[in-house]
Amino acid sequence: MKDNSAQIDEIRSLMGSGRLAYVRSFGCQLNVSDGEKIKGLLMQMGFGFTDDEHKADIIILNTCAVRESAEDRVFGIVGSMKKLKEQKPSLIIGVAGCMTAQSHIAEKIKRSYPQVDIVLGTSALSALPGLLLDVLHGRGFSADISEYDDFSQAAVQVRESSFKASVPIMFGCNNFCTYCIVPYVRGRERSRRPEDIISEVRQLAADGYKEIMLLGQNVNSYGNDFGDGEGISFPELIRRINDIEGDFIIRFMSSHPKDASRELIDAIFDCEKAAKHLHLPVQSGSSEVLRRMNRRYTAERYMETVDYIRSRDPDFSLTTDIIVGFPNETEEEFGETLDMIKKVKYDNIYSFIYSKRSGTRAAGFEDAVSDEEKSRRMRRLLEVQREISTEHYKRFVGRTLRVLADGVSRKRPGYLTGKSNEAIIVEFPGNEELIGSFAGVRVTGSMNWAVTGEII
Ligand code: 5AD
Ligand code: SF4
């Protein structure tokens, strides 16, 4: 970790008060969490925040690399910022996040986008004050994509919510699914020390946070990188967090099915604070496609895990990620995915059309399936899932759910929206003052994307 306190003080005195920062995070929740740390550093340097890039003195784009289309979008945004910089030459523009971990991208930014002053790697957040000082001292373009942050310690953060908090428990991924860029841009798995995580959660609980979301690319392999006899497993971490005093719910993502053990499922059932919901990305219902994806489980083994969960609670809520149109996916293989979602009865699926990502193994796979066919399969998948959700949500009618109210309904005036323990969206009439607290809601009706009810 860089000791940047002297640099932070110098920036405070150089920049004075009233300066504004615009930070925009793309992609997954881990990236949003990094964005909160970047904001934490900027706050220490004396910046306030704005959602209007025209008012900003510094702009940081915290980028995602999962899809090449997302990268193109960022280049488009950076391109359009040239004008902003011409209007306000003192404006400082930085690019952070997963895109910067690819050296050809960092070089492209330096070569083709002179309006960018700073490139900041995901494991070098503490370098931000030093990079900013270089720019303020007129030393020009300044980049740091080294890896030296002590990721275990809690950083100062400006959190997006006052009642929902993300807590990364590990960084990186060892799995190398053939379609995925993450292991290349986030490196190998590194787990935070349990005592650092627990003290962060204890503080959040004391501050009144109601939802603690534990984050990692594969939380089930938490602790595997500790030496023998050191550290603890993920199920044990859940149990220890469950023992922390306070009224909060524990969620986590993502769980790799190959590592979703009975110990994990037992911990979810044993711990009263653990949400009764599991996000278990299946990606495909075909064992052959799973093999080509290098997922290291079969459809049958996945179903064994689901069966064990449902043997303990037939109504248990499951959600998943699905990739449609993986290279050379046949109609039969796609049919197996449809069979899988019908059998499992997910409450929700997050589906993606396969997107070729250079740098990954699947980018070299032959693919005879047309884009039209992939879109057709996607529509079919969503259609089938809509029927499943509509039917499956009916099981909640008449039951009382514990719901964390998190906002006002955009569709229905006077209604609040919230998430139940089971991760179901619930809409109910209520006062805005309830936002950020738990309510008991009796479910009176269901739709295909949410249930409705009234506070009891
Ligand atoms: N194409 C389509 N979907 C992808 N995902 C990751 N990489 C790709 C890709 N190249 C999806 C997976 C993962 C989710 C976060 O994003 O379903 O679980
Ligand atoms: Fe990507 Fe697979 Fe790692 Fe998830 S488990 S981040 S899909 S490589």
Side-chain angles (χ1 to χ4, degrees), residues 66 172-184 186 189 216-218 254-259 281 283 293-296 321 323:
V66 165
C173 180
N174 292 353
N175 290 311
F176 291 93
C177 301
T178 54
Y179 51 81
C180 184
I181 195 75
V182 168
Y184 302 94
R186 286 274 176 176
E189 288 172 0
Q217 300 298 344
N218 175 17
S254 268
S255 266
H256 196 302
K258 79 174 165 56
D259 306 312
Q283 311 297 357
M293 289 176 165
N294 190 33
R295 291 289 287 174
R296 287 180 276 175
D321 291 350
I323 296 179

Side-chain angles (χ1 to χ4, degrees), residues 342-355:
K342 287 179 196 161
K343 258 194 297 191
V344 177
K345 293 202 181 71
Y346 294 105
D347 279 308
N348 207 347
I349 63 172
Y350 301 87
S351 46
F352 311 91
I353 292 187
Y354 169 73
S355 128

